[in-house]
């Protein structure tokens, strides 16, 4: 059992109308995406084709910040305001999709971009799932 | 001249279609809002009516995280993707408005809530201004 | 294989003098600690004995911020400056120990404090391991 | 009057043994340093001599994360644990000094590095002042 699942299980509040499994998946997908994008931006700085990777670095840094904040707000407020949740999930979905698109352009040459693209697509899908509820 | 204004002035890129004054105001409003909301949540924890302030603390913590990330993305990407900018500004406007509403309910009793409400309203207005462009 | 391990494996740089397994463990322990402490502070705000939990909330919020930043710096700079690494690991170890001590005082009454104390102790130990190298 | 000064003035707790002016200066220096380093890393990505700026970008990103977290912990805990305060101030001083050194090497060619070096040196000095108390 993951730590997000564990923490939602021991939360003292009732959480009606919340799909705890989907919420835990989204929190963990955001956290993994943020950490992976941070590492990918760093790895890109060491590549010989760095000048072609600047948009990928920018998208990764944005995605890391937005996904980390989304994980925090989701972890903090399982029963929060629906408007904030939806607006932030929408922003995170866009940030993850942009970062995935950039990384996919370099995934054949760079393994870190391939791994990062996967983490971003997982995050994008998890945000979309919560928005679809 | 503020540091956000200074950094936008020395940025090497052309920034067509960008109102640099409005962008600098939004970056600084987000930064001030994030720092003020962090301090307000902390001050609320010291108040004797703490049990009535829990929603105010939650809203302040959310607002601090979202506004700090918005400032970073805006500072990083003056010419960024318009979809990410708009989605994140929309989320920040909601977070700032929610925090302002909570703080305004306690502004007569607590000076820190009064100051924080002002910083949140300034942030909300600055995000709206960039969205209106 | 965890995502931190994966990203270190696909990093293009040589990483001599680095114990990759210990580094990956520390990055993941910091990330889990940060997310768990964020959720614990939130859960504390819902407890009936909230007035006795204010120091626990403060320690959790501090720990969440310091551990998240430590994970970022470690993920970004596997070959970074040793002085920054050591100073930040020392700060994170202190923040995790303080949060663990507070949560342990409430672990019998609150499951979220028990889970959070474990995550903080794992983070403290992982920071100490990298400092001992 | 700055917002950090304002928030310290309206904080409900007694703050004995604390030099509020020095604390406010450190909080604001950390916040300005974090925002400036974020913008400098971004500007470096647009420069034609990008391959020579990778260490500068890394140092700026580290500094931005550490200074932002230091500002939060200082803003949150005016009466916090002295061990955490000192360990984090020490880490922030190192991060700011490293970023300043990198930026100073490029300050003649790049205005953003010159401005960023100044913000980092101010942050370094403010951290040192609080450590000297």
């Amino acid at each position: 059992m993951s730590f997000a699942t564990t923490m939602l299980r021991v939360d003292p509040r009732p959480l009606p109308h919340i799909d705890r499994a989907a919420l835990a998946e989204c929190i963990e997908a955001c956290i993994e995406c943020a950490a992976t994008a941070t590492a990918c931006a760093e790895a890109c700085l060491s590549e010989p084709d760095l000048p072609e990777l600047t948009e990928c670095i920018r998208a990764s840094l944005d995605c890391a910040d937005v996904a980390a904040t989304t994980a925090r707000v989701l972890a903090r407020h399982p029963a929060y305001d629906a408007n904030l949740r939806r607006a932030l999930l929408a922003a995170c979905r866009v940030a993850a999709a942009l970062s995935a698109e950039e990384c996919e352009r370099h995934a054949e040459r760079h393994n870190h971009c391939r791994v990062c693209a996967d983490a971003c697509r997982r995050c994008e899908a998890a945000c979309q799932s919560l928005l679809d509820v």
Side-chain angles (χ1 to χ4, degrees), chain A:
Chain A
M1 185 167 49
S2 75
F3 60 90
T5 305
T6 304
M7 289 306 284
L8 287 173
R9 195 171 52 83
V10 298
D11 194 283
R13 287 166 298 176
L15 296 175
H17 316 307
I18 303 257
D19 179 339
R20 290 184 192 223
L23 181 59
E25 160 62 15
C26 193
I27 292 172
E28 301 221 350
C30 285
I31 288 172
E32 177 174 327
C33 178
T36 305
T38 299
C40 187
E42 165 61 18
C44 285
L45 286 170
S46 300
E47 297 290 359
D49 58 340
L50 168 61
E52 295 160 49
L53 295 169
T54 54
E55 286 312 303
C56 187
I57 293 171
R58 287 178 167 118
S60 292
L61 292 173
D62 279 350
C63 181
D65 283 336
V66 176
T69 283
T70 301
R72 280 187 167 224
V73 173
L74 291 176
R76 186 184 296 130
H77 260 206
Y80 38 64
D81 180 86
N83 289 329
L84 175 55
R85 177 183 54 187
R86 294 189 71 81
L88 196 54
L89 285 169
C92 190
R93 187 187 50 184
V94 172
L98 286 171
S99 186
E101 283 164 27
E102 283 295 332
C103 278
E104 283 162 1
R105 295 177 51 218
H106 310 285
E108 288 200 12
R109 271 202 315 285
H110 302 313
N111 280 328
H112 49 85
C113 284
R114 183 179 47 74
V115 174
C116 188
D118 289 348
C120 291
R121 289 296 183 201
R122 177 187 166 202
C123 179
E124 181 192 10
C127 291
Q128 185 63 56
S129 289
L130 283 193
L131 284 167
D132 287 340
V133 172

